[in-house]
Amino acid sequence: MTADKPLRADAQRKREALLATARKVAAAGEFFDLRFDDFASLAGVGTGTLYRHFPTREALAEAVYRGEVATLCDRARHLQATRPAAEALATFLRGMVDHMDTHQGLARTLATLWADHSSALAEGSQALEQAVTDLVAAAVKAGTVRDDVDAGAVMMALHGIGAAYDRPRWRAEADDVITLVLDGLRRPRSEG
């Protein structure tokens, strides 16, 4: 299916139903427990519709991933436009931990599907890094964040948080890491 031609309203609704079903199944950690055709019946569409929109399980997972990344990037832009720079950055980073916590099953599903390093995964990572870069740059410009640490270090901390999801106290420790990152980014007050 090409991205050039807009979908009819009914086709778009069916595509969204498939994506919503895939997100729900992946979040429950059951993405591999179903036959691929089962996604169609769970979404209330025909198998022809499934294959027309997503010819493979990987294509469906990639579309879910792209949607998640787009949502996160939109959130970063919204925060940057509506909040003071330091608050926007802190809110986004804490929201990323919330997102990781809520979507652990989806993250594991995607990691399993793309063990061979998909280009979609790389593109998504670049888009998220750009969103974080923009938030950090705005906070640096506002004078609230140090200018000697770049967004790559923040992304590394986020990747580390995500990779450690199986720790018993993951959520509390993840929140602590974000606090450490934010404290480390804070521009020191000049002594008078």
Side-chain angles (χ1 to χ4, degrees), residues 26 32 61-62 64-65 68 105-115 121:
F32 300 107
E62 183 176 316
V64 169
Y65 175 71
E68 293 298 312
L106 177 60
R108 284 190 288 268
T109 297
L110 293 172
T112 301
L113 277 171
W114 292 330
L121 198 56

Side-chain angles (χ1 to χ4, degrees), residues 169-190:
R169 296 187 58 245
W170 178 87
R171 180 55 200 246
E173 290 174 344
D175 289 335
D176 289 346
V177 171
I178 293 299
T179 298
L180 287 171
V181 167
L182 291 169
D183 287 349
L185 287 172
R186 190 173 298 118
R187 185 180 190 139
R189 294 179 188 229
S190 44

Side-chain angles (χ1 to χ4, degrees), residues 10-76:
D10 63 327
Q12 184 64 37
R13 276 192 304 276
K14 290 175 182 178
R15 184 178 193 282
E16 291 302 320
L18 286 163
L19 287 170
T21 297
R23 270 192 299 278
K24 183 178 174 184
V25 168
E30 300 170 350
F31 201 80
F32 300 107
D33 297 341
L34 300 177
R35 293 178 315 118
F36 187 52
D37 291 358
D38 291 341
F39 285 95
S41 60
L42 287 172
V45 302
T47 51
T49 299
L50 170 65
Y51 284 97
R52 194 167 26 261
H53 291 284
F54 307 106
T56 64
R57 185 182 302 265
E58 290 77 13
L60 180 58
E62 183 176 316
V64 169
Y65 175 71
R66 287 180 190 274
E68 293 298 312
V69 168
T71 297
L72 290 168
C73 290
D74 288 346
R75 178 167 166 67

Side-chain angles (χ1 to χ4, degrees), residues 65-131:
Y65 175 71
R66 287 180 190 274
E68 293 298 312
V69 168
T71 297
L72 290 168
C73 290
D74 288 346
R75 178 167 166 67
R77 284 188 288 275
H78 175 75
L79 289 168
Q80 190 173 354
T82 60
R83 303 234 178 132
E87 182 184 335
L89 177 61
T91 301
F92 182 77
L93 294 179
R94 293 196 186 285
M96 282 293 296
V97 172
D98 291 338
H99 187 83
M100 288 179 209
D101 193 20
T102 303
H103 296 87
Q104 285 181 21
L106 177 60
R108 284 190 288 268
T109 297
L110 293 172
T112 301
L113 277 171
W114 292 330
D116 64 345
H117 192 67
S118 164
S119 63
L121 198 56
E123 289 170 21
S125 182
Q126 289 170 353
L128 282 174
E129 185 158 352
Q130 186 60 55

